Amino acid sequence: MKIGFIGLGNMGAPMARNLVAAGHEVTGYDVAGVTVEGARAAESAAEAARGAEVVITMLPNGQILRAVAEEVIPAMSPGAVLCDCSTVDVESARAVAAQAEAAGLGAVDAPVSGGVGGATAGTLTFMAGGSDEAFAKVAPLFEIMGQKAVHCGPSGNGQAAKICNNMILGVTMIATCEAFALADRLGLERQKLYDVVSTSSGYSWTMNAYTPAPGVGVPSPADNGYKPGFAADLMLKDLRLSQAAAEMVDADTPMGQRATELYARFVEEEGGSGMDFSAMLPRFEKRQRE
Ligand code: NAD
């Protein structure tokens, strides 16, 4: 397939590399001049999009996505599909999809989970929104770049699924970390807390698969000085998107709101920027009750 790939950053470059390795004809563009071996390098986003059957974007945010879409949609051929894999606000995803469809194109929003490790290994999970026809066209590419793709409904629903998932993740990580810090003060060993919770009703992905306490549970960023992994900054981005979406549809999300406030403080005032999102545990460890 002829594929245009725009945004060759930490995630985009390995994803594009996997498409090249699978034999697809990839033309890449990144404003920072990054190139991927085996892919043709375009001089502009429009050039990368011209003649492509699928254009994939992997960009920092909704504002940049909207700007790139303005440029690539007029350059794309009728029937081609614009597939955005970035994590952006639901409103931008729906606006870009409407613009693409008005131009006779297909549109899919397909944010991912799995991080740089998943992008490199080709084991990402895609959460997709868009028409059945557009989804069917890009699904074989999801199989190359990932291990699972869920079609979540019409445009914007991929982003909706992503931010709902990550809102749960942020809230659960905080709950897990504050429980470890409470156990410390109560004289309960972390290993004992893990042994109980990981097989009891308080278990969760954060406790069982990403244990935030060093030396306890499975190996995780906690065992590596809280180097990310999944950076607290990216968790804050996703939590803010969840709250923007909640405001848009007037949904009451008190835990998501509190998690957003805590990660904002952690990242912007307490030195959490650049650390894994599980570094909430050493944060709680140092604090007194507010
Ligand atoms: P990144 O900053 O490494 O990559 C973004 C790339 O887009 C950069 O190389 C940048 O130069 C390029 N870019 C910016 N503006 C552009 C433009 N106008 N035209 C062309 N290229 C442009 O970010 P990333 O970690 O690769 O993340 C990309 C997206 O994936 C984000 O939306 C992020 O939230 C999401 N995401 C990231 C992770 C992760 O672990 N890094 C996990 C899941 C989802």
Side-chain angles (χ1 to χ4, degrees), residues 9-11 30-32 58-60 64 68 86-87 112 115 234 237:
N10 293 321
M11 296 290 291
D30 190 295
V31 77
M58 195 52 174
L59 298 162
I64 294 175
V68 168
S86 332
T87 304
V112 302
L234 285 176
K237 173 190 170 177

